[in-house]
Amino acid sequence: GGYTLDDKSELRGMFIWQSADADLVRLGDVGPSSLYAQYDDYKSFALDLGYRRYLQLSNRDIRLFGEGTIGVGFIDSIGVQFAAPQSNIVFPASNYYDQTAAFTYGLGFGAVFRFSDRLDFTGQFGLRHVSGLQTVDQFVGTGLEAVSNDTARLTFPVVVGLRYHFK
């Protein structure tokens, strides 16, 4: 959603839901056997607030814009199942990350193509950063502490859509 301040400025609010499937990951070795981890899927919900600034071209039906956003994301807890198949060992499933809130920021650039007085087509690309996840303490002293490093996410969203003007 957006609120027009003037012809060149807009305040924006976005609800963002993300989900990413988890893959089976080889972590290393346990004796003669490979150690694997199967994680739960990544799921998050976020509220981002932002400011968009338009640049009017000589063609009145096309407007370029740049925007910046900040917000907070709520990330579901993530569980993990460890297994060493060659040794016939399956460890009990456990929490790997606790549910947490994370800081978000983003930059975007795009264009608005006017279809009519009330309807526009929008295309946008940019980047969005979500800060790291909260780890659980049960892996302290196991040698797996470093696996939870670098949990921040940087994505490059491509957004297309239709906009309807109420006024």
Side-chain angles (χ1 to χ4, degrees), residues 63-128:
R63 295 172 62 189
L64 301 177
F65 65 84
E67 74 177 18
T69 63
I70 59 170
V72 63
F74 302 96
I75 301 159
D76 288 349
S77 61
I78 298 174
V80 65
Q81 176 78 55
F82 293 104
Q86 293 93 343
S87 297
N88 209 18
I89 299 172
V90 177
F91 298 93
S94 61
N95 285 337
Y96 194 59
Y97 295 106
D98 287 333
Q99 185 175 10
T100 189
F103 175 72
T104 69
Y105 66 87
L107 295 172
F109 303 94
V112 176
F113 304 93
R114 184 174 145 179
F115 284 145
S116 69
D117 289 339
R118 296 224 183 252
L119 192 63
D120 297 331
F121 173 79
T122 302
Q124 176 180 346
F125 66 94
L127 65 89
R128 184 168 184 268

Side-chain angles (χ1 to χ4, degrees), residues 13-19 42-49 69-76 100-105 128-131:
M14 290 159 278
F15 294 106
I16 300 168
W17 180 76
Q18 290 181 310
S19 178
Y42 176 93
K43 295 178 184 172
S44 72
F45 174 82
L47 172 62
D48 287 4
L49 301 173
T69 63
I70 59 170
V72 63
F74 302 96
I75 301 159
D76 288 349
T100 189
F103 175 72
T104 69
Y105 66 87
R128 184 168 184 268
H129 182 269
V130 179
S131 65

